[in-house]
Amino acid sequence: MELSIGIDIGGTNSPFGVVSAEGEVLAKGSIKTRNYKDPELFATDLAKEIKNALSAIKGDFTILGIGIGAPNGNHHQGTIEFAPNLPWKGVINLIALFQNHFKEPIFVTNDANAATIGEFIFGKAKGLKDFMVVTLGTGVGSGFVSNGELVYGHDSFAGELGHTIIVHDGRDCACGRKGCLETYASVTGLLRTAQIMLAKSSQKSMLRQIPTDQLSGKDIGDSAAKGDKLALEILDYTAKRLAFSLANAVAITSPEAIFLFGGMARAGDLLLGPLKRYFEDYLLYLYRGKVRIEISALTEQNAAVLGASALVWNEINKK
Amino acid sequence: MELSIGIDIGGTNSPFGVVSAEGEVLAKGSIKTRNYKDPELFATDLAKEIKNALSAIKGDFTILGIGIGAPNGNHHQGTIEFAPNLPWKGVINLIALFQNHFKEPIFVTNDANAATIGEFIFGKAKGLKDFMVVTLGTGVGSGFVSNGELVYGHDSFAGELGHTIIVHDGRDCACGRKGCLETYASVTGLLRTAQIMLAKSSQKSMLRQIPTDQLSGKDIGDSAAKGDKLALEILDYTAKRLAFSLANAVAITSPEAIFLFGGMARAGDLLLGPLKRYFEDYLLYLYRGKVRIEISALTEQNAAVLGASALVWNEINKK
């Protein structure tokens, strides 16, 4: 039996899984990233946990490799570079750290690319050659597959759709610029839109019963599902901004399909309905009716680990 | 000696060249596209001209294939689809038409992709794996190479950077939408900017001595070169719009370099100066100082034919 290990390094926890070629998780575990100021110690303890988990798997198996998804993960260098949400500063050489504990090949990429490869190997994008994945969580990430290969770009930082500017002089973004897609289409962006609309409009809304600083994406989705007009308008506005950006991206890579993942995608058809309408409106005539938009097949619980493990299967498939 | 044939199908003329692996044009010719209402007759006569040209080449040679660049050329299908500037309507199966006359493999793509492959095989992009080419002529075209391969996309219509929308509710575009990059950064867009600025400003300018309907891109470049302030402002505005679009495209494919080609590129440093400044300002911090912008190495006279012939070398290199 051939297996791969997927590790998802996050700001709080770093879960891992031992995954079969079919995407079955045979063993799993997690360590607390926050407890480790020293990345070397982190790697040592994580390796120990992984080896424990492996020893519990019954039957013969071979580990083909280790895939690591991490914020600002650089595929070409095998490093994490200046990730603001991790306890380690500067450039961390992940491959070097884990090679002290494993002899198998190690692959690194960022979270959104891992989600993309996960969709490619285990999800709805199986067999597609040209598609994109957009992750709509606290931020907006993306991954592009063209000619059957993930587009890493020259420095491994391709796929920053969340930081394409969609509104001149628009909302302040954490990146230091203004008007990035992320400030509109992330869950955080959705909440900013909600605040503005609640202030501007005098419409009745269930959302007014929730203190502004406790308002969540789920509240907006739930209210919209119950027919709350203002909540529907908030989703509509968000869908329109996202549609604009997706239509522009289509003109560059001409994908067959776009898969949405993450918190925002939980709104399902409440988001997809207006999104598809605006998307077709914004598209250049050449692409109209040709590009489908779907919610990802992966669940948020296991996507990161599956995606990281999929890196290994993807590299092996290339050979 | 191994050679390839490049054909550039244009609205007025269709020049061709017989090209060596080093990019030397050993024989060439041209027929008038406009004289042919029947594409079959067009192919027959063009094939005759090509065979004449081949018979004049001294020494032994093998023709490896035929590359055709054409407006709305579809690489996957080998067709031209609904090209507004050609005398033929609907979908024309170019490969079928030319297979009646040649047994060698035939490859089709659109003009901007041919220019991109030309830069890849014979120009400044030799050996690069991730770059983009932007053609700034009557319209704006583009081609993206990622992982060493041209991004054709699912339906072969990738690379329409000219039809990404950069201004909400902006200038009317021939595609039926508003605010496309093409309406600002093509030579036609430059002239629209000139008209608006000449009307809005009361500044003195050499450009005021030229009747509006005779104003050319060259006039603006020449006046700017002589220090005409308004002409410089027109180029500055154009550079800013283009820089915005290029910076957004970089966030998707993360290229190592961007090559500019076509009429606008003739302005040279007068365009490149402000373009590079605005580009760095607009870029996400991850990419700053990492992406160079240069004028293409190919000349407008031979780029289309070289680019078309390069399609053949590119397909052969893949094997």
Side-chain angles (χ1 to χ4, degrees), chain A residues 298-319:
Chain A
L298 305 185
T299 65
E300 282 168 78
Q301 289 97 310
N302 63 11
V305 162
L306 275 186
S309 79
L311 273 178
V312 177
W313 300 111
N314 188 48
E315 294 292 333
I316 286 163
N317 290 348
K318 275 190 202 169
K319 282 163 195 167

Side-chain angles (χ1 to χ4, degrees), chain A residues 134-208:
Chain A
V134 183
T135 65
L136 303 162
T138 316
V140 171
S142 67
F144 291 77
V145 168
S146 289
N147 295 314
E149 278 194 65
L150 190 77
V151 174
Y152 281 111
H154 179 58
D155 61 357
S156 175
F157 287 120
E160 287 288 352
L161 188 71
H163 290 289
T164 53
I165 294 174
I166 62 159
V167 178
H168 291 278
D169 221 13
R171 294 180 182 170
D172 286 345
C173 184
C175 75
R177 301 174 310 153
K178 283 170 189 279
C180 292
L181 173 66
E182 177 160 302
T183 67
Y184 298 91
S186 63
V187 176
T188 326
L190 179 78
L191 296 175
R192 287 168 87 164
T193 301
Q195 285 197 357
I196 294 167
M197 288 211 176
L198 281 164
K200 274 196 175 172
S201 151
S202 53
Q203 250 180 94
K204 278 188 192 171
S205 168
M206 302 174 200
L207 299 173
R208 296 195 190 279

Side-chain angles (χ1 to χ4, degrees), chain A residues 147 150 153-155 157-160 164-166 168 175 177 244 248 251-254 256 282-284 287 290, chain B residues 147 150 153-155 157-160 164-166 168 177 244 248 251-254 256 282-284 287 290:
Chain A
N147 295 314
L150 190 77
H154 179 58
D155 61 357
F157 287 120
E160 287 288 352
T164 53
I165 294 174
I166 62 159
H168 291 278
C175 75
R177 301 174 310 153
F244 175 81
N248 269 351
I252 292 180
T253 63
S254 182
E256 176 175 358
Y282 279 127
L283 276 180
L284 177 65
Y287 310 111
K290 288 186 188 171
Chain B
N147 296 313
L150 190 77
H154 179 59
D155 62 357
F157 288 119
E160 288 288 351
T164 53
I165 294 173
I166 61 158
H168 291 277
R177 302 174 310 154
F244 175 81
N248 269 351
I252 293 181
T253 63
S254 182
E256 176 174 359
Y282 279 127
L283 277 180
L284 178 65
Y287 310 112
K290 287 188 188 170

Side-chain angles (χ1 to χ4, degrees), chain B residues 139-159:
Chain B
V140 171
S142 67
F144 291 77
V145 168
S146 289
N147 296 313
E149 278 194 67
L150 190 77
V151 174
Y152 280 111
H154 179 59
D155 62 357
S156 174
F157 288 119

Side-chain angles (χ1 to χ4, degrees), chain B residues 18-100:
Chain B
V18 185
V19 182
S20 74
E22 290 75 35
E24 200 190 342
V25 181
L26 301 183
K28 59 184 179 176
S30 181
I31 73 170
K32 287 214 173 304
T33 323
R34 279 207 185 143
N35 292 352
Y36 295 89
K37 282 189 184 154
D38 177 0
E40 208 168 325
L41 206 60
F42 167 81
T44 305
D45 280 9
L46 185 52
K48 217 179 288 173
E49 286 290 322
I50 292 172
K51 284 175 184 171
N52 277 342
L54 288 176
S55 68
I57 297 175
K58 283 163 196 161
D60 284 343
F61 62 86
T62 319
I63 299 294
L64 295 180
I66 299 171
I68 308 177
N72 288 18
N74 185 324
H75 179 76
H76 296 338
Q77 307 294 332
T79 54
I80 299 178
E81 301 190 4
F82 308 99
N85 300 322
L86 295 184
W88 319 310
K89 305 284 160 241
V91 177
I92 308 297
N93 191 330
L94 282 183
I95 290 186
L97 288 179
F98 282 92
Q99 269 174 344
N100 295 332

